[in-house]
């Protein structure tokens, strides 16, 4: 057939298939496609690459401040494959308006993690899921369920509150500094942490509380505000002319130089003074927030003896984090129906603590952080603001785009 004749016939035939132009998408369809693409792309970035995070409490002050907005890298330690894959985009565990669950836990995937750039190192600032967040009292979500049970009793808690469970990746996000990695031995004496027998002083931005005694009652507290203290948060009256200060070592050295200051002493708990809220909540151990240990942090492949000394420390790890059925029959321990004297850990674990040592709920209270709870590494602060002053004065300009050390 002559090509030109066929082409003229095709153009003249209105019923030709190729003659009909493609139907254009409606504006609504274009917007829907754009939104779906944006949600999918943002979700992929958030899950596998980087995620924004806000500092909600003062447990890391003065390293990180309330009102700091961070970017957390999922790439450094390797992105964790979602363990609860069916979830509402951009909602963590609760829907913002209805207050209902933002995920479906009927489908659960095993813990898997993509290869990362590095392992977690000591002193890294890490975001992780709260280990004891597996059970929550919905009306008291800011409180540790297990601590509530220890103080009020299980029956009272379950009769007053709505109790629910959460999968690993839908537990609250915490941010702390990694003090010890799997295999390390951690202890604390008089407020100073030791790792493998070596004392590790607080970083320059870390702070604890001090008892400060003045020579006179006539004190201009504006001096301390100029030093960087928050008069409402960092200074509390203890007795006549004596106050509790929360600050860094550098700040407290400046306080010591003031002519009207009589003494400055670290306000730590005495050794032997028991605090049952401190991990492992064992009445046979006289441990407290400033004096505990030694504790060996579990790691993959480490084998321990199951006895009365070890089990208060490791029973929850073996039972909850590693998913075993643990029973005590007489003087023997039975794991998954088999009597045994030893146990070998399947995962690596970490010891996390806040830089604001006397105002931080951390591993001293709830123990080890399993590797499957690790979210990512805190990289840098992209925005920071406080709640006082005008809009521009609220922004902490010196903290914008600053790294986290």
């Amino acid at each position: 057939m002559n090509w030109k004749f066929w082409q003229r016939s095709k153009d003249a035939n209105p019923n030709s298939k190729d003659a009909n132009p493609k139907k254009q998408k409606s504006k609504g369809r274009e917007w829907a496609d754009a939104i779906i693409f944006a949600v999918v792309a943002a979700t992929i970035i958030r899950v596998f690459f980087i995620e924004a995070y806000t500092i909600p409490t003062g447990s890391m002050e003065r390293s990180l401040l309330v009102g700091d907005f961070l970017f957390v890298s999922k790439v450094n330690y390797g992105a964790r494959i979602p363990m609860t894959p069916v979830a509402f985009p951009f909602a963590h565990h609760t829907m913002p308006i209805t207050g209902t669950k933002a995920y479906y836990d009927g489908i659960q995937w095993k813990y898997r993690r993509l290869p990362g750039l590095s392992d977690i190192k000591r002193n890294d600032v890490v975001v992780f899921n709260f280990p004891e967040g597996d059970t929550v009292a919905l009306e008291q979500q800011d409180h540790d369920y297990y601590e509530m049970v220890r103080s009020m009793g299980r029956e009272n808690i379950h009769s007053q509150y709505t109790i629910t469970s959460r999968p690993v990746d839908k537990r609250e996000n915490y941010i702390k500094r990694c003090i010890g990695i799997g295999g390390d031995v951690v202890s604390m004496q008089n407020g100073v942490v030791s790792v493998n027998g070596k004392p590790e002083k607080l970083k320059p931005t870390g702070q604890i509380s001090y008892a400060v005694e003045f020579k006179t009652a006539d004190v201009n507290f504006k001096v301390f505000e100029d030093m960087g203290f928050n008069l409402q948060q960092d200074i509390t009256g203890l007795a006549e002319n004596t106050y509790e200060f929360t600050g860094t070592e550098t700040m407290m050295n400046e306080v010591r130089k003031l002519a009207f200051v009589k003494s400055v002493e670290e306000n730590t708990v005495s050794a032997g003074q028991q605090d049952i809220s401190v991990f492992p909540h064992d009445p046979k151990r006289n441990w407290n927030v400033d004096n505990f240990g030694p504790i060996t942090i579990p790691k993959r492949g480490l084998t321990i003896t199951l006895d009365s000394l070890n089990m208060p420390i490791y029973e929850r790890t073996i039972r909850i984090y590693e998913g075993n059925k643990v029973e005590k029959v007489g003087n023997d321990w039975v794991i998954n129906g088999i009597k045994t004297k030893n146990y070998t850990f399947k995962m690596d674990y970490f010891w996390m603590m806040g830089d604001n040592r006397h105002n931080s709920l951390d591993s001293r209270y709830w123990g080890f952080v399993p590797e499957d709870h690790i979210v990512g590494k805190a990289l840098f602060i992209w925005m920071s603001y406080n709640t006082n002053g005008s809009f521009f004065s609220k922004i902490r300009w010196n903290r914008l785009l600053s790294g986290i050390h």
Side-chain angles (χ1 to χ4, degrees), residues 185-311:
V185 178
V186 295
S187 61
M188 196 169 190
Q189 287 82 39
N190 299 320
V192 178
V193 176
S194 292
V195 181
N196 299 326
K198 179 183 177 181
E200 297 284 348
K201 290 187 67 176
L202 268 175
K203 301 303 167 190
T205 52
Q207 61 182 18
I208 62 172
S209 57
Y210 296 77
V212 178
E213 185 179 0
F214 299 144
K215 297 176 182 178
T216 175
D218 186 18
V219 173
N220 180 11
F221 281 87
K222 184 68 167 56
V223 173
F224 302 114
E225 193 173 54
D226 295 338
M227 289 181 173
F229 290 96
N230 184 312
L231 300 185
Q232 285 73 41
Q233 297 178 1
D234 300 332
I235 302 176
T236 306
L238 293 177
E240 185 178 1
N241 296 345
T242 303
Y243 293 80
E244 181 180 79
F245 279 58
T246 300
T248 67
E249 184 178 19
T250 301
M251 295 169 69
M252 298 312 300
N253 286 337
E254 293 301 311
V255 171
R256 286 187 174 94
K257 297 176 183 178
L258 297 174
F260 57 84
V261 172
K262 181 177 181 180
S263 65
V264 177
E265 302 290 340
E266 291 185 2
N267 196 14
T268 57
V269 182
S270 301
Q273 184 174 331
Q274 188 183 70
D275 183 352
I276 200 64
S277 67
V278 168
F279 179 81
H281 323 291
D282 182 6
K284 296 180 181 179
R285 288 177 164 88
N286 291 325
W287 290 0
N288 56 56
V289 293
D290 292 316
N291 299 273
F292 66 80
I295 297 174
T296 299
I297 305 171
K299 70 175 182 178
R300 186 185 292 108
L302 175 68
T303 300
I304 61 165
T305 302
L306 306 183
D307 55 28
S308 58
L309 184 65
N310 280 333
M311 287 307 282

Side-chain angles (χ1 to χ4, degrees), residues 60-293:
M60 285 294 291
E61 290 188 347
R62 301 181 183 266
S63 302
L64 297 172
L65 307 180
V66 175
D68 282 350
F69 291 80
L70 319 176
F71 274 130
V72 177
S73 168
K74 306 295 183 70
V75 177
N76 283 63
Y77 305 139
R80 182 179 60 184
I81 304 299
M83 304 165 77
T84 310
V86 182
F88 191 84
F90 311 122
H92 184 42
H93 53 62
T94 304
M95 295 295 289
I97 298 176
T98 62
T100 56
K101 286 198 306 185
Y103 58 90
Y104 171 64
D105 52 8
I107 299 175
Q108 290 288 297
W109 290 349
K110 291 183 179 180
Y111 163 64
R112 295 180 180 86
R113 190 179 293 275
L114 298 179
L117 301 178
S118 67
D119 295 327
I120 297 177
K121 298 180 178 63
R122 300 181 194 92
N123 292 316
D124 281 359
V125 177
V126 182
V127 174
F128 55 91
N129 298 117
F130 178 41
E132 287 198 341
D134 56 326
T135 308
V136 178
L138 291 180
E139 294 83 0
Q140 296 286 339
Q141 294 191 45
D142 292 338
H143 294 73
D144 183 346
Y145 163 82
Y146 293 98
E147 180 58 33
M148 292 170 65
V149 168
R150 283 189 290 270
S151 60
M152 299 174 59
R154 188 177 185 278
E155 290 186 4
N156 287 333
I157 296 301
H158 281 251
S159 64
Q160 295 182 45
Y161 304 110
T162 305
I163 308 301
T164 188
S165 60
R166 285 177 180 159
V168 170
D169 56 343
K170 295 303 177 183
R171 297 170 191 174
E172 291 290 352
N173 288 327
Y174 274 38
I175 184 167
K176 307 289 179 186
R177 190 178 298 277
C178 177
I179 300 300
I181 61 177
D184 283 347
V185 178
V186 295
S187 61
M188 196 169 190
Q189 287 82 39
N190 299 320
V192 178
V193 176
S194 292
V195 181
N196 299 326
K198 179 183 177 181
E200 297 284 348
K201 290 187 67 176
L202 268 175
K203 301 303 167 190
T205 52
Q207 61 182 18
I208 62 172
S209 57
Y210 296 77
V212 178
E213 185 179 0
F214 299 144
K215 297 176 182 178
T216 175
D218 186 18
V219 173
N220 180 11
F221 281 87
K222 184 68 167 56
V223 173
F224 302 114
E225 193 173 54
D226 295 338
M227 289 181 173
F229 290 96
N230 184 312
L231 300 185
Q232 285 73 41
Q233 297 178 1
D234 300 332
I235 302 176
T236 306
L238 293 177
E240 185 178 1
N241 296 345
T242 303
Y243 293 80
E244 181 180 79
F245 279 58
T246 300
T248 67
E249 184 178 19
T250 301
M251 295 169 69
M252 298 312 300
N253 286 337
E254 293 301 311
V255 171
R256 286 187 174 94
K257 297 176 183 178
L258 297 174
F260 57 84
V261 172
K262 181 177 181 180
S263 65
V264 177
E265 302 290 340
E266 291 185 2
N267 196 14
T268 57
V269 182
S270 301
Q273 184 174 331
Q274 188 183 70
D275 183 352
I276 200 64
S277 67
V278 168
F279 179 81
H281 323 291
D282 182 6
K284 296 180 181 179
R285 288 177 164 88
N286 291 325
W287 290 0
N288 56 56
V289 293
D290 292 316
N291 299 273
F292 66 80

